Amino acid sequence: MKILGTEQLKALLKLIETETDEYTDMLRPDLAAAIKANPARVQQAIDSTFSTSLPPKVRHTLEEICWGNLSEQVSAFAGKINPDLEEGLWILALFASPAAKRGEITQKLDHIAQDMRPILLNAKNLHEIADLMGKYFFSTLHFITLPANLDIKDISFGRFLIKKRGSSLCTACLYQTIAQRFGLESGLVDLAGRILVCMQDTPKKQILFIDPLDNGKILTEQDCKDYILAREIKWNDELLSPLSSRTIIRRFIANMIYVLNKLRDERRLKYLRTYLEIIKN
């Protein structure tokens, strides 16, 4: 397929804006090929063609090209033996913000970890580390965990790092990705629908749990058992088994689907359902 120059791309974008839906569908492969060949050139053409905001038709076309391409990335992620959580978080960030870049999430997390290092340097034990992390996230950086997912953007980890507000799953992943940077044993557990962060020090036989929905409140294993018994659920040690990266990303997708089902947003739902099937299989 012919590689389009900047002026040709601008003309293509204007056609997509003004032509019928049927003709736009015919133009879509050309734009998709241009994005794959040189995304920077496409962005340059967009910026110079639409100085204020993208026309809805152009935005929808760009989104759907991006969402279609994400199927391949989700499949590659799910096919790995031990997929990287950050990679999965970045892929889903693209669904909410197609222009998001992998490096943006990594850089923000690296910056947070760098600023935290002096604070954690003299921590005496696991409990103190967890306590300091919570104070830094919620009191110093002012992250807010939302009690409910009202908007799909509240479930985007990329947007969470920028706006400092999002779902409990986003906050739990903040703990997890930062803990990994300090070489801490950590993971996420699903306590009958309640997402907790698990941190442990195997040599010292220490283990604790962190509730991201309660400003980083630290819980013991007994606290977790009491919570389950209070809900009249039979206790099973498997409830405290760490979730795999694949399962965490699957949970993100399921949460997005839940929000969009309420809005009856079939345009986005069809892509998310595809991603969920890829992850499941």
Side-chain angles (χ1 to χ4, degrees), residues 79-99:
K80 295 178 180 178
I81 296 175
N82 186 24
D84 176 40
L85 177 60
E86 272 183 51
E87 179 186 356
L89 293 172
W90 166 67
I91 291 171
L92 292 188
L94 285 172
F95 188 83
S97 303

Side-chain angles (χ1 to χ4, degrees), residues 260-276:
L260 292 180
N261 266 329
K262 287 185 175 181
L263 300 175
R264 298 180 181 178
D265 188 342
E266 287 298 325
R267 190 174 75 91
R268 289 188 283 182
L269 277 169
K270 69 177 182 179
Y271 291 98
L272 286 171
R273 288 171 182 146
T274 298
Y275 306 157
L276 189 60

